[in-house]
Amino acid sequence: SQQGEEDPQALSIQEGENATMNCSYKTSINNLQWYRQNSGRGLVHLILIRSNEREKHSGRLRVTLDTSKKSSSLLITASRAADTASYFCATARQGGANSKLTFGKGITLSVRP
Amino acid sequence: DTEVTQTPKHLVMGMTNKKSLKCEQHMGHRAMYWYKQKAKKPPELMFVYSYEKLSINESVPSRFSPECPNSSLLNLHLHALQPEDSALYLCASSQSPRDRGVSEQFFGPGTRLTVL
């Protein structure tokens, strides 16, 4: 079963606006990651936040993590048409040889020029 | 070099064919992954190799056979596939799994597979 559940499932905004996407998960995690996927292409890693971190920034991206609520949010500021893509959160549980990522269902973001 | 390459980009095969997908990375990563992704769905993990040894098989049918010849290469051998196996097959790599959990994964562009 999938660990992460993003909402909304689809988001349409105007260029220049901020986009906020949320992810909820069910079990304890080691870290949570966000990925972007342009149509039919491979995934691109955006940001990783560890379970002992609450907030992280990377350029126009801001990620928060609330382990008590088992939720994370991804904020993209000053959006651009090029940000149009699908966004996935992915959770990583404990490490070792059986480490793996479990992806949420994804959010489709459309940024209108 | 932070690139994962996959060949071929597109593959059309019949149900009786045997084909292989190839993946290569030169980042020194010792964990490599195969995912299957259907349209408008998230990637589904199929296999994980850690230090060239199969560490996770997510109950994948035997018509999919992975192989890791060395630390840079990962193959997925296909035989007697079904039309429902048509999907985007993604390869990824990451630093070796450690106690702190999976680090960021680098994905290839994928192979678009169509089974007739």
Side-chain angles (χ1 to χ4, degrees):
Chain A
S1 62
Q2 282 158 8
Q3 171 78 303
E5 293 283 342
E6 297 95 336
D7 79 86
Q9 292 192 335
L11 181 61
S12 181
I13 59 173
Q14 200 74 34
E15 203 166 27
E17 294 179 339
N18 296 342
T20 299
M21 291 167 268
N22 302 302
C23 170
S24 61
Y25 57 92
K26 296 177 182 175
T27 63
S28 62
I29 61 171
N30 183 286
N31 68 64
L32 186 144
Q33 304 177 29
W34 285 90
Y35 289 81
R36 184 188 74 227
Q37 184 177 33
N38 290 89
S39 180
R41 307 286 297 278
L43 281 74
V44 175
H45 180 267
L46 296 176
I47 199 163
L48 180 154
I49 186 164
R50 300 194 185 285
S51 58
N52 61 352
E53 298 175 311
R54 292 298 167 257
E55 188 172 313
K56 210 164 180 181
H57 297 256
S58 177
R60 293 184 297 113
L61 305 180
R62 173 178 171 256
V63 169
T64 62
L65 180 64
D66 187 334
T67 52
S68 67
K69 295 181 180 179
K70 292 187 170 55
S71 67
S72 173
S73 67
L74 171 67
L75 169 67
I76 304 175
T77 60
S79 63
R80 305 167 181 168
D83 294 327
T84 295
S86 294
Y87 291 81
F88 296 93
C89 69
T91 51
R93 298 179 70 181
Q94 293 306 310
N98 292 325
S99 300
K100 63 180 184 180
L101 287 180
T102 303
F103 286 85
K105 293 180 179 178
I107 299 169
T108 301
L109 174 65
S110 298
V111 181
R112 303 185 300 275
Chain B
D1 183 1
T2 58
E3 191 180 14
V4 176
T5 60
Q6 288 188 245
T7 56
K9 291 184 179 179
H10 299 275
L11 178 63
V12 179
M13 60 187 291
M15 289 190 286
T16 59
N17 292 158
K18 285 185 181 180
K19 296 287 184 182
S20 296
L21 309 184
K22 296 185 183 300
C23 174
E24 188 167 5
Q25 57 89 15
H26 295 286
M27 293 177 278
H29 290 167
R30 303 305 295 274
M32 297 187 75
Y33 310 80
W34 279 116
Y35 290 88
K36 172 183 176 181
Q37 186 178 28
K38 302 282 261 185
K40 300 189 185 302
K41 297 290 187 182
E44 295 177 21
L45 183 65
M46 300 174 72
F47 303 103
V48 180
Y49 273 82
S50 179
Y51 291 94
E52 296 87 70
K53 293 197 184 311
L54 184 65
S55 61
I56 296 178
N57 176 342
E58 292 285 284
S59 301
V60 178
S62 60
R63 57 185 183 269
F64 295 91
S65 175
E67 178 196 20
C68 190
N70 60 55
S71 60
S72 299
L73 294 174
L74 187 66
N75 298 322
L76 186 63
H77 303 297
L78 314 172
H79 174 53
L81 294 194
Q82 304 297 312
E84 58 264 29
D85 296 321
S86 297
L88 181 67
Y89 287 84
L90 295 164
C91 172
S93 70
S94 71
Q95 294 180 352
S96 312
R98 294 191 178 92
D99 290 341
R100 297 189 70 189
V102 178
S103 59
E104 64 176 299
Q105 294 188 4
F106 292 78
F107 283 79
T111 293
R112 176 73 60 189
L113 174 67
T114 302
V115 182
L116 301 176

